[in-house]
Amino acid sequence: MTRVLEGRKVIVTGASRGIGKAIAIKFAQKGAVVGINYFQSDEQAKRVLSVVNEHSEGKLLKGDVAVESDARRVVCEFAEKYDGLDVLINNAGIYIRKDLEKSTVEDYDRTMDVNVRGPFLLSKFALPYLKESDHARIINLSSQLAFKGSTHGTAYVTSKAALIGLTRALALELGPHGITVNAIAPGTIETDIIGDYTEEKKKVRAANIPVDRLGQPVDIAYAALYLASDMGSYVNGEILGVNGGSALH
Ligand code: NAD
């Protein structure tokens, strides 16, 4: 496939590892200039930047997506340097695996802050730039757990369902400005977010997925690529499941 994102200006939040890293690298391979937001790990982020630079160009954007001043700076630093923004990918997220009884109010607040307030803030600050773009997209990383629930994900499931609400509201509101807004709802993808899974648990999980394997970060990067490219330009307000068929169980 050719460089279908040549020259597109893209910010990916939480791009130092996992799915965000895979999206940043895949998008650079397809020609995009990539803003690599990350929270803490300078070394990991620099490694992503060096791969991105092999294919295109990237910029490190350190900041906590849940903090208003950081979110504003992340967007403005990138958009001012590259004279615009075409695609915002709200990927940063946290999963505190706890049921209601064990969850603290702080767990709930932090989860909602990173997983919902973050995408709200980034979308808000990106809006003036996206309005000027001919290829404007917002892509939010929700989860199939938003539909299925979880016995140990009280705050996480709530946050990912809220993100679907944000996606649908913005799709309606921003469509007339030429901005499409969609979400991806991944199944189980092998990243640090499931770092506490034993090999046995991974096998059991994979056996319950019709294609008989866990997802890889690049599986989600391809879905994001479709939505961000011209091929996805008429898709708006959708929640794209990428889960090997596990949603059918
Ligand atoms: P991950 O834990 O490997 O990566 C998450 C990234 O977000 C990390 O780089 C982390 O530093 C960053 N981050 C966390 N808090 C941040 C903050 N406040 N500001 C900026 N960055 C912050 O997880 P992942 O699996 O790559 O997940 C990426 C997204 O996909 C998340 O939103 C997650 O909820 C979603 N998701 C993942 C799975 C899965 O099975 N891996 C399934 C469904 C949805």
Side-chain angles (χ1 to χ4, degrees):
M1 201 190 285
T2 52
R3 287 168 62 101
V4 292
L5 296 180
E6 192 67 53
R8 303 279 166 89
K9 301 153 192 172
V10 181
I11 292 176
V12 186
T13 67
S16 61
R17 68 184 201 203
I19 292 170
K21 172 183 174 181
I23 294 173
I25 292 171
K26 182 55 66 190
F27 276 39
Q29 288 169 345
K30 299 299 174 187
V33 175
V34 185
I36 300 159
N37 162 252
Y38 70 104
F39 181 33
Q40 277 168 328
S41 174
D42 296 303
E43 285 316 307
Q44 281 183 326
K46 278 184 201 159
R47 284 201 288 276
V48 176
L49 177 65
S50 78
V51 182
V52 162
N53 282 338
E54 285 170 22
H55 302 285
S56 174
E57 189 180 337
K59 179 171 170 50
L60 294 180
L61 302 165
K62 189 170 187 173
D64 182 341
V65 295
V67 173
E68 182 181 347
S69 55
D70 283 16
R72 189 193 299 272
R73 180 177 42 74
V74 161
V75 171
C76 294
E77 250 182 49
F78 180 82
E80 277 159 30
K81 172 159 186 195
Y82 292 107
D83 196 25
L85 175 66
D86 298 300
V87 182
L88 168 66
I89 303 196
N90 285 311
N91 164 79
I94 56 170
Y95 188 171
I96 301 171
R97 277 190 182 65
K98 289 184 184 173
D99 60 16
L100 181 59
E101 202 164 21
K102 296 206 182 84
S103 293
T104 63
V105 174
E106 289 73 24
D107 292 333
Y108 177 85
D109 287 345
R110 182 62 182 159
T111 303
M112 294 301 280
D113 282 353
V114 176
N115 295 4
V116 187
R117 187 176 202 259
F120 166 83
L121 292 172
L122 270 289
S123 301
K124 184 169 177 56
F125 299 133
L127 184 56
Y129 302 104
L130 294 175
K131 277 183 178 173
E132 298 298 315
S133 164
D134 293 329
H135 311 279
R137 311 273 194 275
I138 297 175
I139 300 169
N140 295 322
L141 266 293
S142 180
S143 168
Q144 83 172 352
L145 298 185
F147 302 99
K148 294 183 113 175
S150 160
T151 52
H152 51 256
T154 310
Y156 183 76
V157 171
T158 305
S159 73
K160 292 300 180 180
L163 192 53
I164 290 175
L166 181 69
T167 301
R168 292 196 164 131
L170 294 185
L172 281 173
E173 185 186 326
L174 305 185
H177 295 284
I179 305 166
T180 66
V181 187
N182 293 287
I184 297 171
T188 307
I189 311 298
E190 266 194 289
T191 69
D192 290 349
I193 220 169
I194 62 159
D196 58 336
Y197 280 29
T198 60
E199 285 308 310
E200 190 50 38
K201 186 169 176 184
K202 283 185 191 174
K203 269 192 197 151
V204 171
R205 181 59 61 91
N208 282 318
I209 299 171
V211 300
D212 202 24
R213 68 170 176 90
L214 299 183
Q216 296 303 313
V218 73
D219 293 316
I220 306 303
Y222 277 122
L225 176 63
Y226 163 66
L227 291 171
S229 72
D230 291 346
M231 291 178 284
S233 64
Y234 198 58
V235 183
N236 189 29
E238 290 297 327
I239 317 303
L240 177 56
V242 182
N243 51 53
S246 57
L248 299 171
H249 287 305

